[in-house]
Amino acid sequence: MPITTYSLGLDFGSDSVRALLVNTSTGEEIATAVHYYIRWKEGKYCRPSKNQFRQHPSDYIAGVESTIRDIISQVGPKITKNIIGIGVDTTGSTPAPVDETGTPLALLKDFEDNPNAMFVLWKDHTGIREAKEINDLCKKWEVDYAQYEGGIYSSEWFWSKILHVSRHDKAVHEAAYSWVEHCDWIPFLLTGGTDVRDMKRSRCAAGHKALWHESFGGLPSNEFFATLDPLLDGLRDRLYEKTYTSDVSVGTLSPEWAKRLGLSESVVVSVGAFDAHMGAVGAKSEPYYLTKIMGTSTCDILVAPMEGDEKLVKGICGQVDGSVIPNMLGLEAGQSAFGDIYAWFERLLAWPIKEIIGTSSLIDEATKEKLVQEAMDRLIPDLSRAASKEPIGAAGELALDWMNGRRTPDANQNLKGVIAGINLGSTAPKVFRALVEASCFGAKKIVDRFLSEGIPIKGVVALGGVAKKSPFIMQMMADVLNMPIKVVASEQSCALGAAIFGAVAAKAYPDVPEAMEVMGSPFEIVYEPDNERVNAYSLVYEEYKALSDTMETHIMNQVRANG
């Protein structure tokens, strides 16, 4: 009888890393584990009011060891010895400065508490000015290097962050031999890499976030970067030209990491990629189906056959050959805040609960903790139930979903969230409903952009925390988009996609489509649009678009006035 083999997927999110063990023959999810980043949980190295979000590489290392060790303890030695591959996905763009050995500077004694020496998380927008300068230079340059990234470069991406840190921290700039994406560093770490020049760089990360394209011969020219800022002169030569799709093996576990994890040194580690792109693979993405990964933000992934001349789609997060499925074009869009909007509103409402209960002298500490936790657990579910009873458009409350800027269409991180139309009758459920409507309208703007650019959308597939937990939001999304939405059954679609790539790199399958068909997740529910609600939402959507235009003009006039 053939031996049953298994593959691990590591999914690095904004606040935790999750590991998933999958049977390569059936796609059965055998075991899972999660590790929450300790420093992140304590709020270290982040300044939300300044759009600064940094993560320490030590949190990632602890997460790898904790989750995989946990899984091994669950399944025992018989299964452990038959684990053949590991795939890795991360948030992105999340780069960090490294020395010549590929070691992030924050792991060195001189930089261990310096946020600029850490990984700059995807949602860090400290590089808004730098993104503008990149866009201005791209428009003037002989070659528009942003053309395959929607024509607009974002502060969420690789070069904006590198330039910002280089300008604001001389010590880090001088110590940084190169820069690496989180999704490239983890496989390099696990396989015992010691020279950053040997690091296999992700096609997904390079193409969507770093201005890499084969037609340019790789990255933009050194002359381009030196013109942007002399601080970048020479860095291109210390980066990369070649990139790899995630079905490619980086190597096998190093002796050190095999011992730390309790795995064989023969376990293959595949090239990393971004979480949303691997999530689409876990969801068995089909051509022209929009896969929505709905968490703190959203990433919308669409794959299309590489046929004829490639059409450039304006205002998205890039289109890259092989970024999702090798030999197919991957297109990415998304919203900079989605679940984060609801979490912000929850924190806003929770403040008096925590303060009043937490400072009460009439309640013991254990009871305080229990009461606060009960209130927090009920807040969003109860708000959702109350908001669902409000009419569409509530009583005139209208919001814009730009609490963390706008990713697509047409990236602009200067933009801010808006709540309009409030009056003395506005209630928490009414405002919450307006926020949910705004997040759904933001999603429709993305769909409208694809359609207006001639990219058909045959259907919508959803995965992630919001998709699994909120029927209220998902039904509204189906009504606003006027499309059925199929929700993926797996709780861990991104980690599942990573495990699929791990299996392919380990030669359990000849290619990703075959592995995806067997190992990918089925669907658990379909939300169908309701015609009556579709028509009602279309009227409010027109108001949303009008408010968007007005506020964008106002905000950008302020930005220009303030230099």
Side-chain angles (χ1 to χ4, degrees):
M1 290 181 63
I3 296 172
T4 300
T5 59
Y6 304 86
S7 181
L8 277 162
L10 287 171
D11 171 33
F12 290 83
S14 296
D15 61 3
S16 63
V17 56
R18 296 177 184 273
L20 177 70
L21 184 67
V22 183
N23 183 319
T24 63
S25 301
T26 64
E28 179 187 359
E29 299 181 6
I30 306 298
T32 187
V34 61
H35 172 88
Y36 291 92
Y37 307 137
I38 295 171
R39 296 162 185 80
W40 176 263
K41 192 173 183 179
E42 293 173 348
K44 288 186 175 181
Y45 315 121
C46 297
R47 300 174 65 192
S49 64
K50 301 292 185 181
N51 287 317
Q52 176 183 303
F53 297 94
R54 309 292 165 85
Q55 291 184 330
H56 202 289
S58 292
D59 272 342
Y60 300 154
I61 293 171
V64 173
E65 194 162 7
S66 170
T67 55
I68 294 182
R69 279 285 186 183
D70 187 346
I71 281 181
I72 286 174
S73 70
Q74 294 177 50
V75 302
K78 186 176 179 180
I79 287 178
T80 298
K81 71 178 183 180
N82 292 320
I83 294 174
I84 60 171
I86 297 176
V88 176
D89 75 72
T90 73
T91 64
S93 178
T94 301
V98 297
D99 66 12
E100 201 164 350
T101 70
T103 301
L105 297 187
L107 293 178
L108 306 178
K109 191 174 187 314
D110 290 345
F111 295 99
E112 59 188 355
D113 288 315
N114 183 343
N116 293 322
M118 299 174 190
F119 283 88
V120 185
L121 190 64
W122 64 270
K123 67 195 280 185
D124 187 295
H125 291 157
T126 50
I128 288 177
R129 172 189 165 194
E130 287 75 15
K132 181 181 184 303
E133 292 175 27
I134 292 169
N135 283 311
D136 291 344
L137 187 59
C138 282
K139 290 179 174 63
K140 298 173 185 175
W141 208 254
E142 182 181 0
V143 176
D144 181 359
Y145 289 119
Q147 63 184 287
Y148 292 99
E149 299 191 11
I152 302 176
Y153 202 74
S154 169
S155 62
E156 291 186 348
W157 299 347
F158 192 70
W159 289 106
S160 302
K161 293 174 174 180
I162 292 173
L163 182 53
H164 179 81
V165 170
S166 298
R167 284 173 168 172
H168 288 80
D169 197 317
K170 183 179 179 182
V172 167
H173 169 67
E174 291 179 348
Y177 177 81
S178 189
W179 283 74
V180 302
E181 279 284 358
H182 184 191
C183 68
D184 294 333
W185 180 64
I186 295 293
F188 179 79
L189 173 75
L190 294 178
T191 54
T194 57
D195 187 334
V196 71
R197 288 163 293 203
D198 296 331
M199 184 181 290
K200 286 186 175 176
R201 307 287 190 139
S202 163
R203 170 77 56 87
C204 173
H208 283 288
K209 312 299 182 187
L211 299 172
W212 182 94
H213 197 270
E214 286 180 312
S215 67
F216 308 150
L219 296 167
S221 67
N222 184 68
E223 183 186 0
F224 174 85
F225 290 121
T227 303
L228 179 63
D229 193 308
L231 288 172
L232 299 181
D233 190 8
L235 177 57
R236 183 192 189 278
D237 296 333
R238 304 193 300 276
L239 286 165
Y240 55 89
E241 290 186 5
K242 189 174 182 181
T243 63
Y244 300 85
T245 53
S246 292
D247 56 335
V248 173
S249 167
V250 173
T252 56
L253 283 178
S254 69
E256 177 194 351
W257 273 99
K259 183 177 180 180
R260 289 175 72 167
L261 300 176
L263 295 173
S264 166
E265 291 178 32
S266 66
V267 174
V268 174
V269 182
S270 66
V271 170
F274 291 150
D275 46 10
H277 302 72
M278 285 196 170
V281 169
K284 297 199 286 192
S285 183
E286 298 179 63
Y288 299 113
Y289 276 78
L290 191 67
T291 302
K292 294 185 68 64
I293 296 84
M294 303 168 71
T296 53
S297 67
T298 73
C299 275
D300 297 356
I301 303 295
L302 185 145
V303 296
M306 295 290 293
E307 298 173 347
D309 294 333
E310 182 178 343
K311 177 178 174 53
L312 294 173
V313 181
K314 294 185 297 184
I316 63 171
C317 302
Q319 48 197 82
V320 182
D321 175 14
S323 66
V324 183
I325 300 172
N327 303 313
M328 295 192 75
L329 185 67
L331 298 95
E332 178 193 348
Q335 294 162 270
S336 291
F338 196 80
D340 265 353
I341 297 174
Y342 316 141
W344 161 78
F345 195 57
E346 180 184 57
R347 290 194 302 273
L348 192 71
L349 297 183
W351 186 87
I353 296 173
K354 291 180 177 179
E355 286 297 308
I356 292 170
I357 295 176
T359 58
S360 173
S361 59
L362 303 176
I363 311 172
D364 63 77
E365 290 302 318
T367 304
K368 287 179 187 177
E369 186 175 335
K370 182 180 178 182
L371 289 173
V372 169
Q373 190 58 53
E374 182 181 343
M376 294 299 293
D377 290 344
R378 290 182 53 184
L379 203 49
I380 293 298
D382 285 6
L383 267 177
S384 296
R385 281 190 288 273
S388 69
K389 297 174 184 176
E390 297 290 342
I392 291 171
E397 290 84 1
L398 185 64
L400 300 181
D401 55 314
W402 297 338
M403 277 66 172
N404 201 26
R406 184 178 65 211
R407 182 177 295 158
T408 49
D410 305 320
N412 189 340
Q413 304 306 338
N414 288 293
L415 301 179
K416 307 294 182 185
V418 174
I419 302 175
I422 55 175
N423 55 56
L424 295 178
S426 296
T427 62
K430 284 183 169 67
V431 173
F432 183 68
R433 182 178 185 103
L435 292 172
V436 176
E437 289 177 354
S439 59
C440 292
F441 292 149
K444 181 167 172 55
K445 289 275 278 188
I446 293 170
V447 169
D448 288 353
R449 175 57 60 89
F450 276 121
L451 295 176
S452 69
E453 291 287 299
I455 305 298
I457 295 179
K458 294 182 178 180
V460 179
V461 173
L463 56 103
V466 175
K468 298 285 289 183
K469 295 175 184 176
S470 180
F472 168 59
I473 295 172
M474 295 312 299
Q475 184 59 57
M476 185 185 296
M477 183 70 75
D479 293 336
V480 169
L481 298 183
N482 193 19
M483 291 182 181
I485 300 178
K486 297 188 290 186
V487 177
V488 174
S490 175
E491 298 279 352
Q492 305 289 341
S493 294
C494 297
L496 176 57
I500 289 171
F501 279 110
V504 176
K507 306 300 182 185
Y509 290 92
D511 56 39
V512 173
E514 189 172 325
M516 189 170 64
E517 187 59 34
V518 176
M519 296 176 65
S521 176
F523 302 109
E524 67 175 6
I525 189 172
V526 179
Y527 291 92
E528 298 284 350
D530 175 274
N531 287 334
E532 185 175 337
R533 291 195 295 264
V534 166
N535 293 331
Y537 279 120
S538 67
L539 298 176
V540 185
Y541 180 54
E542 293 303 316
E543 296 177 9
Y544 168 89
K545 290 195 293 184
L547 181 61
S548 298
D549 293 342
T550 299
M551 291 309 303
E552 183 163 5
T553 299
H554 171 69
I555 291 168
M556 294 313 296
N557 283 341
Q558 285 187 319
V559 169
R560 284 187 283 270
N562 293 329

